[in-house]
């Protein structure tokens, strides 16, 4: 947006020419509703919804995979599914939940809320933002396409340790394309995440509304920024690990082939240099959401704002120095083990600081326990439980006992469900009225919360004991005399309670979307700019007038200084109109076309049809070239005094 | 030349919060990410050099350090031309920008040509991806860098063609752009064939005019490549002259600058690779 505005200020912009004079394939789509509008969208809100819906779909898929695992483990010596299918299920459950559910659901909030929170009309590179989503979808398809092939889904575990992934090993039970699909799928998802994050970084640093200094940013936006930095700095490590693995599998190199001098430990290092920052990629957005919900429903500003922000930065920074705590039992040597152990304990400090700040926010506030607040309070408690068992792992001697046991499974489900998922589900309730203009019924919202809360604890709390009693993770079958029977049965019952809770949650959400009570405007009396939009759902251009920020809780300030703000807005409206109106980005076909080339190339490559892969690559290249030569485009909207909006794609000339 | 001259401050963009143009900030962030990318690859190479396999090749017997030093020098000089291209575009000098872009493309291609020659030479001597660990890490690392250079060259070519976009949007230039691009592609592939044939002939029979001429007539592919190179170069020269007003000027300088950042970064990475992969072997 900004670059194009610069152009139009200096010379007659290319988009002012008659659309008829452009070649047909450079004609910009103008549909605002219907299928074409979604396929060609560059609107950060629509892209956010696409991310959200896809993520929730895969959240359910991952949930079904988990239920099948729990059914298999309900009783000893069960034969519900085979070992092979069990391996596929735990691999795909983890991969799906991490890369296709929690990360994109966070991305959905980044996309939808972050530009609104900083008073921007879109992200810095709208077409690239669309591309990031389509590439994500391509990665999701490549990862899951194995379910429909004879080779089956990936089965090497979500961290794909060498030498399980070697050709000789992975193809002895089933065809070996499943591991290739896993490698390709994760690489593609990495591309999507990095591109999306680069866009968010530029947007947050460069497109803040006037007056919005960094230390006035909403905490959710801060956490978006930190997460984006974590993504661009950590994903290259796994990309290289996957490239090396791909070279091994497709071109006969020996990076991880032990017999030819390869060192499997190198895979572990490269994987966890990515893998540990990844857990902060999963939790920081959740912490951001919690930091928005708690002050709103405590009716006071966030306690210790600068400390919460800096704690986030410290967590992100330290997150790069603790990866080897996943590898304490590999024999790193005492020095390295002690160093990584200390660094891991150090991370508990900023995390604890955040918890205290949230409690400080609640302290003395006028707490109203609406549904989003229930999830936020549940988050604090459950995430703390996960944090405690995390501190237990940080002590290397204790970890030697807990490594690869159900204790670890309990730990990361407490931080991922009790942490990330609780916050994301709470975030959906919090922002639902803004996004859809309807509000979820309090009774059904709270009921779903309580079922989820109970089901979650019944499922995962017994796993602590199972782990300490020696049950290893990734066990498809166990004997009846190990003392694990009651714990496993309880966990399975809990999993079904959790499933009922999630089912209730989604039924209520879908019902509300279709027939729920209408809610307009700022129904929570919220603090941040996303609630200052003229209508709910927000119009495509977000704000009639770009807001000016005077204080940290910008919208509370606007509401308490109505007269001053009204005068300021009237002046800004005039300024903006004299500069040619509101600049909007044009829609484009090229993001989805380019991503389609990637899908074709990726699928051919995984099946070693290199001509097809090259054809896919060429399609991608053509997409990129078309994208570049099409240009950023853009058009202007004009807001009349009564709020009516005129202008649109190809209608600029009337105003020139 | 530029239809939209005006004073543009290339160091401050007043439409962004920080004054840094969005595209520049994007490129810096991307390069930070790419640092980690090459960091992981170079680390892999170093780790495996420190844990060599018993029957591994001795790199110093393979390397032609003179050739690699030459191509390193060429790549560094291409950065100079790239910087001049950025400077020219910021002053709105389209002709100068084109020349410097072409120069950068040319030097980038010399580097890639040396790498192709080096790879074929090493394969001939028995070092392949599969032969041993050194082959695996060497080809993967330098190959990935080569792909970065190739993407840079492709980007430069597209930018060069972009400078011909006419101000008059009604003027059909898409076909012309496609022909120009194809001419580039044909010229590059054919000259690589010709050069390989010539160097092989030279190595066998000595670098005399007659051996070169003989090499070009040796088989149909080489003769065809030489002909294709001649035709495509003439075509490029013809298409490289425009008489109309173009839609390319100071406002596009940021695009050239972003490309320049990428190009310089890839050069810096090569300096690290040259030091770590080549020079350290001689210690």
């Amino acid at each position: 947006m900004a670059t194009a505005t610069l152009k139009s200020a200096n010379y007659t912009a290319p988009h002012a020419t008659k659309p008829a004079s452009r070649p047909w394939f450079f004609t910009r789509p103008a549909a605002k509703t219907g299928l074409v509008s979604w396929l060609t969208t560059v609107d950060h809100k629509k892209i956010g919804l696409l991310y959200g819906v896809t993520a929730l779909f895969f959240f359910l898929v991952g949930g079904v995979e988990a239920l099948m695992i729990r059914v298999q483990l309900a009783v000893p010596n069960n034969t519900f599914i085979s070992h092979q299918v069990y391996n596929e299920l735990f691999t795909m459950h983890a991969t799906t939940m991490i890369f296709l559910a929690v990360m994109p659901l966070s991305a959905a909030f980044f996309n939808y809320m972050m530009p609104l929170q900083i008073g921007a009309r879109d992200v810095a590179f709208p077409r690239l933002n669309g591309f990031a989503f389509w590439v994500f979808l391509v990665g999701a398809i490549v990862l899951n396409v194995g379910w429909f092939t004879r080779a089956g889904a990936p089965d090497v575990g979500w961290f794909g340790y060498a030498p399980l992934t070697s050709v000789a090993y992975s193809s002895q039970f089933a065809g070996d394309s499943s591991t290739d699909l896993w490698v390709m799928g994760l690489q593609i998802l990495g591309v999507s995440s990095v591109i999306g994050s680069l866009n968010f970084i530029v947007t947050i640093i460069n497109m803040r509304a006037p007056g919005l200094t960094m230390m006035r940013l909403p905490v959710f936006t801060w956490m978006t920024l930190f997460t984006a930095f974590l993504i661009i700095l950590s994903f290259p490590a796994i990309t290289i690990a996957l490239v090396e693995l791909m070279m091994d599998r497709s071109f006969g190199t020996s990076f991880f082939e032990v017999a030819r001098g390869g060192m499997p430990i190198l895979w572990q290092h490269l994987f966890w240099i990515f893998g540990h920052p990844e857990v902060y990629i999963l939790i920081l957005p959740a912490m951001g959401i919690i930091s928005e919900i708690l002050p709103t429903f405590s009716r006071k500003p966030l306690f210790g704002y600068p400390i919460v922000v800096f704690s986030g930065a410290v967590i992100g920074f330290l997150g790069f120095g603790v990866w080897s705590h996943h590898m304490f039992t590999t024999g790193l040597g005492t020095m390295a083990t002690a160093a990584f152990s200390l660094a891991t304990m150090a991370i508990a400090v900023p995390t604890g600081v955040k918890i205290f700040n949230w409690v400080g926010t609640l302290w003395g506030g006028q707490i109203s326990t609406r549904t989003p607040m229930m999830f936020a309070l549940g988050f604090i408690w459950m995430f703390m439980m996960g944090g405690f068992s995390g501190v237990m792992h940080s002590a290397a001697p204790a970890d030697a006992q807990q490594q690869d046991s159900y204790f670890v499974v309990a730990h990361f489900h407490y931080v991922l469900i009790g942490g990330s998922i609780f916050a994301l589900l709470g975030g959906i309730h919090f922002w639902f009225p803004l996004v859809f203009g309807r509000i979820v019924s309090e009774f059904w919202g709270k009921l779903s919360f309580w079922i989820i809360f109970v089901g979650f604890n019944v499922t995962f709390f017994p796993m602590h004991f199972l782990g300490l009693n020696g049950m290893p993770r990734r066990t498809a079958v166990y004997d009846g005399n190990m003392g694990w029977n009651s714990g496993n049965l309880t966990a399975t019952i809990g999993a079904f309670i959790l499933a009922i809770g999630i089912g209730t949650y989604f039924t209520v959400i879908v019902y509300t979307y279709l027939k729920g009570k209408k809610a307009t405007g700022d129904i929570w009396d919220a603090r941040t700019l996303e609630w200052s939009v003229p209508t709910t759902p927000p119009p495509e251009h977000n704000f009639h007038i770009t807001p000016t920020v005077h204080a940290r809780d910008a919208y509370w300030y606007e509401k308490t200084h109505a007269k001053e703000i009204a005068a300021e807005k009237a002046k800004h409206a005039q300024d903006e109109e004299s500069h040619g109106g509101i600049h909007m980005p044009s829609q484009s076909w090229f993001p989805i076309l380019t991503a389609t080339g990637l899908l074709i190339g990726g699928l051919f490559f995984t099946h070693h049809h290199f001509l097809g892969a090259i054809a896919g690559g060429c399609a991608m290249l053509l997409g990129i070239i078309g994208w570049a030569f099409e240009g950023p485009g853009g058009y202007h909207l004009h807001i009349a005094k009564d709020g009516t909006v005129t202008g649109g794609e190809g209608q600029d000339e009337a105003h020139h | 030349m530029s239809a939209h001259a005006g004073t543009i401050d290339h160091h401050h963009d007043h439409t962004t919060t920080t004054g840094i143009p969005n595209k520049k900030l994007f490129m810096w962030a991307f390069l930070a990410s790419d640092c980690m990318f090459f960091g992981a690859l170079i680390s892999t190479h170093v780790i495996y050099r420190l844990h060599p396999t018993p029957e591994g090749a001795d790199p110093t017997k393979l390397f032609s350090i003179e050739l690699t030093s030459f191509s390193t020098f060429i790549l560094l000089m291409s950065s100079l031309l790239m910087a001049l291209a950025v400077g020219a575009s910021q002053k709105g000098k389209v002709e100068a920008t084109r020349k410097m872009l072409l120069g950068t493309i040319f030097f980038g291609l010399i580097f890639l040509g040396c790498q192709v020659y080096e790879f074929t030479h090493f394969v001939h001597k028995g070092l392949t991806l599969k032969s041993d660990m050194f082959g695996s890490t060497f080809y993967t690392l330098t190959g990935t860098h080569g792909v970065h250079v190739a993407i840079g060259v492709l980007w430069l070519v597209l930018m060069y063609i972009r400078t011909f976009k006419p101000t008059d949007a009604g003027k059909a230039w898409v076909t012309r752009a496609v022909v120009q691009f194809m001419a580039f592609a044909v010229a590059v592939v054919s000259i690589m064939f010709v050069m390989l044939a010539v160097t092989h002939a030279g190595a066998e029979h000595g670098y005399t005019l007659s051996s070169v001429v003989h090499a070009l007539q040796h088989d149909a592919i080489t003769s065809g490549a030489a002909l294709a190179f001649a035709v495509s170069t003439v075509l490029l020269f013809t298409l490289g002259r425009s008489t109309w007003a173009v839609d390319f000027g100071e406002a596009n300088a940021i695009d050239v600058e972003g490309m320049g950042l990428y190009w310089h970064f890839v050069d810096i990475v090569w300096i690290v690779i040259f030091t770590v992969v080549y020079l350290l072997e001689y210690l």
Side-chain angles (χ1 to χ4, degrees), chain A residues 11 206 232 244 254-255 263, chain B residues 18 20 22 33 44 48 133:
Chain A
Y11 66 97
N206 252 357
I232 66 161
E244 289 172 356
S254 46
F255 287 103
M263 296 189 290
Chain B
T18 55
I20 306 166
N22 284 344
S33 182
T44 303
Y48 280 127
M133 186 57 87

Side-chain angles (χ1 to χ4, degrees), chain A residues 2 11 21 125 128 198 202 205-208 232-233 236 240 244 252-255 260-263 266 621 629, chain B residues 4 15-18 20 22 26 29-30 33 36-37 41 44 47-48 53 129-130 133 136-137 140 154 169 173:
Chain A
Y11 66 97
S21 67
F125 302 97
L128 206 58
L198 292 172
V202 176
I205 293 180
N206 252 357
M207 294 180 70
R208 284 165 284 142
I232 66 161
L233 296 178
I240 287 304
E244 289 172 356
T253 56
S254 46
F255 287 103
R260 291 159 58 204
M263 296 189 290
L266 178 67
L621 183 68
F629 281 67
Chain B
H4 26 265
T15 59
T16 66
T17 315
T18 55
I20 306 166
N22 284 344
F26 182 94
F30 168 73
S33 182
M36 297 296 285
F37 189 84
L41 263 179
T44 303
I47 287 166
Y48 280 127
T53 44
L129 275 171
K130 298 179 188 182
M133 186 57 87
S136 297
T137 60
T140 307
L154 185 65
W173 74 291

Side-chain angles (χ1 to χ4, degrees), chain A residues 629, chain B residues 82 85 94-105 152-165 173 176-177 180-181 183-184 233-242 244 246-248 255-256 259:
Chain A
F629 281 67
Chain B
M82 186 74 238
V94 179
E95 267 308 319
T97 310
R98 279 180 193 153
K99 283 185 184 128
M100 293 305 150
L101 288 179
L102 276 180
T104 317
I105 293 168
V153 169
L154 185 65
W155 192 357
L156 282 158
V157 169
L158 292 175
M159 185 65 78
Y160 172 77
I161 296 174
R162 170 68 181 76
T163 64
F164 291 95
K165 186 180 179 184
W173 74 291
R176 188 182 182 285
Q180 210 169 4
F181 182 78
F184 260 111
T233 325
V234 170
L235 197 58
L236 278 179
F237 269 109
T238 323
L239 290 172
R241 295 142 62 90
S242 68
W244 54 82
V246 290
D247 173 28
F248 189 90
D255 298 328
V256 183
M259 191 169 69

Side-chain angles (χ1 to χ4, degrees), chain A residues 640-652:
Chain A
K641 285 230 162 52
D642 58 351
T644 46
V645 182
T646 52
E649 182 71 65
Q651 296 171 27
D652 261 9

Side-chain angles (χ1 to χ4, degrees), chain A residues 170-447:
Chain A
S170 69
S171 54
Q172 64 183 323
F173 302 114
D176 71 341
S177 69
S178 72
T179 309
D180 292 313
L181 288 167
W182 181 79
V183 170
M184 181 57 70
L186 287 191
Q187 281 178 345
I188 293 173
L189 289 172
V191 170
S192 159
S193 301
V194 169
I195 288 177
S197 300
L198 292 172
N199 213 342
F200 294 144
I201 290 173
V202 176
T203 306
I204 295 172
I205 293 180
N206 252 357
M207 294 180 70
R208 284 165 284 142
L212 185 53
T213 58
M214 290 304 272
M215 287 315 279
R216 284 178 182 167
L217 283 181
V219 173
F220 178 71
T221 299
W222 265 118
M223 295 307 141
T224 307
L225 185 65
F226 292 146
T227 309
F229 270 109
L230 285 177
I231 287 176
I232 66 161
L233 296 178
S234 69
F235 266 79
I238 193 179
T239 304
I240 287 304
L242 291 165
V243 165
E244 289 172 356
L245 180 57
M246 192 175 78
M247 296 293 285
D248 274 5
R249 294 182 59 85
S250 302
F251 303 112
T253 56
S254 46
F255 287 103
F256 306 115
E257 296 282 346
V258 187
R260 291 159 58 204
M263 296 189 290
I265 193 85
L266 178 67
W267 169 271
Q268 294 196 20
H269 278 293
L270 286 175
F271 184 87
W272 289 115
I273 286 171
F274 147 79
H276 200 79
E278 170 70 16
V279 309
Y280 298 113
I281 292 168
L282 299 174
I283 199 65
L284 286 180
M287 290 176 164
I289 293 171
I290 294 305
S291 305
E292 298 301 325
I293 294 177
L294 287 175
T296 306
F297 293 93
S298 306
R299 323 261 357 105
K300 60 187 275 237
L302 185 70
F303 183 83
Y305 168 95
I307 304 294
V308 174
V309 170
F310 281 119
S311 304
V314 171
I315 291 175
F317 183 75
L318 287 180
F320 278 97
V322 297
W323 77 87
S324 284
H325 68 212
H326 297 268
M327 302 159 58
F328 279 151
T329 54
T330 56
L332 298 162
T334 17
M335 201 58 206
T337 303
F340 280 107
S341 194
L342 270 175
T344 308
M345 288 175 190
I347 272 201
V349 176
T351 316
V353 166
K354 282 198 164 203
I355 303 261
F356 281 114
N357 279 287
W358 290 325
V359 175
T361 307
L362 295 168
W363 188 267
Q366 292 183 340
I367 296 172
S368 83
T369 47
R370 304 294 294 270
T371 311
M373 188 63 163
M374 301 295 283
F375 278 100
L377 295 173
F379 167 94
I380 297 180
W381 187 12
M382 292 300 106
F383 179 70
M384 245 162 59
M385 304 260 297
F388 292 152
S389 52
V391 174
M392 292 168 77
H393 305 313
S394 71
D399 184 72
Q401 295 299 310
Q402 296 153 3
Q403 169 89 17
D404 269 342
S405 76
Y406 260 78
F407 192 82
V408 175
V409 177
H411 158 71
F412 63 67
H413 281 93
Y414 264 85
V415 287
L416 283 178
I417 301 183
S420 303
I421 293 291
F422 270 38
L424 291 165
L425 295 182
I428 292 175
H429 271 290
F430 180 54
W431 280 304
F432 202 85
L434 174 73
V435 176
F436 298 110
R438 291 176 191 269
I439 183 160
V440 181
S441 118
E442 230 10 60
F443 170 78
W444 288 100
K446 278 186 183 154
L447 182 72

